[in-house]
Amino acid sequence: MELQKELPDIFETFGEIRRNSFMVAKNQKEKDIPLIGVFCTYFPQELALAMGASTVSLCASSDETIDDAEQDLPRNLCPLIKSSYGFAKTDKCPFFYFSDLVIGETTCDGKKKMYEYLSEFKPVHVMELPNSQSDDGFKLWKNEIIKLKEVLEEKFNTTISEDDIKKAIVIKNNERKSLKEFYELGKLDPVPITGTDIFKVLNGTTFEFNKESIPNNLNTLINKIKEEYELSPKYEKKPRILITGCPLGTATEKVIKAIEENGAYVVAFENCSGAKAVDELVDESNPDIYDALAKKYLSIGCSCMTPNPNRIKLLDKMIDEYKVDAVIDVILTACHTYSVETLSIKRFVNSKKNIPYMSIETDFSISDIGQINTRMAAFIEML
């Protein structure tokens, strides 16, 4: 089919965004456009956008620099934390190198202690994230967002107006809507595209500096996929898998490939790489913009929250809407909050949704690919 030849090129374009954005970051520095490096979806990007700054996800999904990180950090630490620190320490991450400021959040103990060392290489501002989505937690987070706005104004000698924040909220909401429309293609049965391709696009957009261009780019891709699907679906029906758990990066793409090379398709990503970050919009009708931002970002169902009902709520909805046959929970080694939470997720998936569940613990190396493939083949055969 004609589209079958075109699609890989389109997907590769998104995959190349990260490589191309290295040069874009350099060009931005030459034009004195501020660049803010971030690690987590809790960072309210609207504030950076409102002051004309760009936001970029920092390198943190490869084992390339973990040996360097382990010279300073414990070996039995989450690979994402070690990778983050290692890229900063070795200057192998162009995004970190060009960043004027790095924003962190107290999502877990390992990260917040790592930020102390990270500040030796680059200015770092850490937002104090509450442990729960309580009323007191909300007040704390709203104050942290206002404090961040003041930090940005002082750091970059600028003024961030409420009107500019409102405009940025609309831009980010449009981006979220287009991302959601794209990954919801996974609701179709049979699937119109593979989970590998869905992930490639979602991951690629995190390295796109021009947020206003994302909806048009995605709409072009969505329309092309739909047109071809209406003519003739090219993928057969197979078991439908939802991935939850820790955020995925290029190194953990091996899990998606293991699922799809052993007889199933990944149709949904509930984690930070997928729906968790963009499922809810900022309320544009709320006159208190800081209240609106705090409500949206604090609603993210991360395992660092206790209790964490919003993760269950989103999982419940997605399992039904995507007609999921099984759930796979991807846990990064030594990620204690997600690891402990596997019990409650298993109970919910098995008892409440009556479908199979499996957790996979992995890191950023390739040493466990054989083991993952073996487990996945047995699990999918059972389905």
Side-chain angles (χ1 to χ4, degrees):
M1 294 181 218
E2 185 181 354
L3 184 63
Q4 212 161 347
K5 296 178 182 177
E6 292 177 2
L7 276 179
D9 293 335
I10 296 173
F11 285 126
E12 282 305 314
T13 299
F14 276 86
E16 288 170 4
I17 286 175
R18 183 174 181 234
R19 291 188 290 275
N20 295 338
S21 56
F22 289 164
M23 292 307 299
V24 176
K26 181 177 182 294
N27 293 335
Q28 288 208 139
K29 293 304 297 176
E30 293 171 348
K31 295 177 183 177
D32 291 327
I33 298 174
L35 183 61
I36 298 173
V38 300
F39 292 107
C40 183
T41 53
Y42 277 112
F43 172 68
Q45 293 190 22
E46 288 83 355
L47 295 185
L49 196 58
M51 59 169 272
S54 293
T55 302
V56 65
S57 296
L58 296 175
C59 311
S61 62
S62 165
D63 64 352
E64 180 183 348
T65 62
I66 284 182
D67 286 343
D68 297 290
E70 288 178 347
Q71 294 174 12
D72 299 341
L73 302 177
R75 292 178 61 85
N76 62 340
L77 189 63
C78 165
L80 188 147
I81 298 173
K82 290 190 289 187
S83 180
S84 304
Y85 178 80
F87 274 108
K89 177 185 176 182
T90 60
D91 252 349
K92 290 183 178 179
C93 177
F95 296 138
F96 187 90
Y97 178 81
F98 288 120
S99 291
D100 299 291
L101 179 67
V102 172
I103 305 293
E105 302 85 6
T106 55
T107 48
C108 71
D109 291 341
K111 268 190 176 180
K112 67 186 182 185
K113 299 306 292 184
M114 181 271 286
Y115 291 142
E116 295 176 15
Y117 298 122
L118 202 65
S119 63
E120 297 174 6
F121 312 118
K122 186 74 68 175
V124 176
H125 174 72
V126 179
M127 300 182 72
E128 187 175 345
L129 187 70
N131 294 318
S132 70
Q133 292 148 338
S134 63
D135 290 341
D136 287 338
F138 172 77
K139 291 174 186 175
L140 170 64
W141 188 235
K142 182 179 177 180
N143 287 336
E144 284 295 297
I145 291 176
I146 295 171
K147 180 180 176 182
L148 173 64
K149 177 240 182 195
E150 295 168 352
V151 167
L152 294 175
E153 288 179 323
E154 182 178 355
K155 167 71 178 174
F156 297 102
N157 191 26
T158 189
T159 300
I160 302 175
S161 70
E162 291 201 1
D163 283 342
D164 286 336
I165 296 175
K166 289 177 181 177
K167 292 175 184 175
I169 287 173
V170 173
I171 292 171
K172 282 297 298 180
N173 273 349
N174 288 338
E175 177 192 346
R176 293 182 184 106
K177 290 173 187 175
S178 62
L179 285 167
K180 189 171 182 180
E181 185 180 356
F182 171 72
Y183 67 66
E184 284 185 345
L185 289 171
K187 291 181 179 181
L188 297 173
D189 190 14
V191 297
I193 51 176
T194 66
T196 301
D197 286 334
I198 292 174
F199 171 76
K200 188 178 293 185
V201 174
L202 295 178
N203 189 50
T205 56
T206 64
F207 302 102
E208 174 57 73
F209 292 119
N210 185 357
K211 301 302 180 185
E212 292 181 85
S213 71
I214 290 176
N216 284 337
N217 292 342
L218 282 176
N219 286 339
T220 300
L221 180 57
I222 291 166
N223 291 336
K224 195 173 284 288
I225 293 169
K226 284 183 175 179
E227 286 172 11
E228 177 59 25
Y229 187 80
E230 288 172 4
L231 288 175
S232 176
K234 66 178 180 178
Y235 297 109
E236 61 184 287
K237 288 198 175 194
K238 291 182 180 179
R240 301 166 60 83
I241 306 294
L242 179 146
I243 287 182
T244 184
C246 294
L248 296 179
T250 50
T252 41
E253 194 176 350
K254 61 188 176 184
V255 177
I256 307 171
K257 290 181 178 178
I259 293 169
E260 300 196 321
E261 289 173 359
N262 285 285
Y265 286 124
V266 177
V267 297
F269 297 89
E270 181 275 336
N271 55 14
C272 292
S273 312
K276 194 188 295 288
V278 298
D279 186 68
E280 292 193 16
L281 305 178
V282 179
D283 183 1
E284 296 175 18
S285 66
N286 190 335
D288 186 340
I289 55 175
Y290 301 108
D291 184 90
L293 288 170
K295 284 178 179 175
K296 182 268 178 289
Y297 283 96
L298 195 60
S299 70
I300 294 173
C302 178
S303 65
C304 65
M305 292 293 158
T306 181
N308 186 21
N310 287 359
R311 184 183 180 192
I312 297 290
K313 179 181 175 183
L314 183 57
L315 269 175
D316 190 18
K317 180 177 76 168
M318 293 183 72
I319 288 171
D320 291 343
E321 291 181 354
Y322 289 80
K323 302 184 178 93
V324 171
D325 295 305
V327 170
I328 291 179
D329 206 349
V330 181
I331 311 298
L332 291 175
T333 303
C335 181
H336 301 308
T337 55
Y338 272 105
S339 182
V340 171
E341 206 166 82
T342 55
L343 176 61
S344 61
I345 300 302
K346 180 179 181 180
R347 285 172 173 170
F348 171 74
V349 172
N350 286 164
S351 302
K352 300 294 184 181
K353 306 307 291 183
N354 297 309
I355 59 175
Y357 164 95
M358 180 173 68
S359 65
I360 292 282
E361 184 176 306
T362 187
D363 57 20
F364 292 164
S365 71
I366 62 172
S367 60
D368 61 352
I369 288 179
Q371 181 189 34
I372 291 175
N373 269 291
T374 300
R375 289 192 63 195
M376 212 61 75
F379 183 72
I380 293 169
E381 186 178 354
M382 175 196 69
L383 297 179

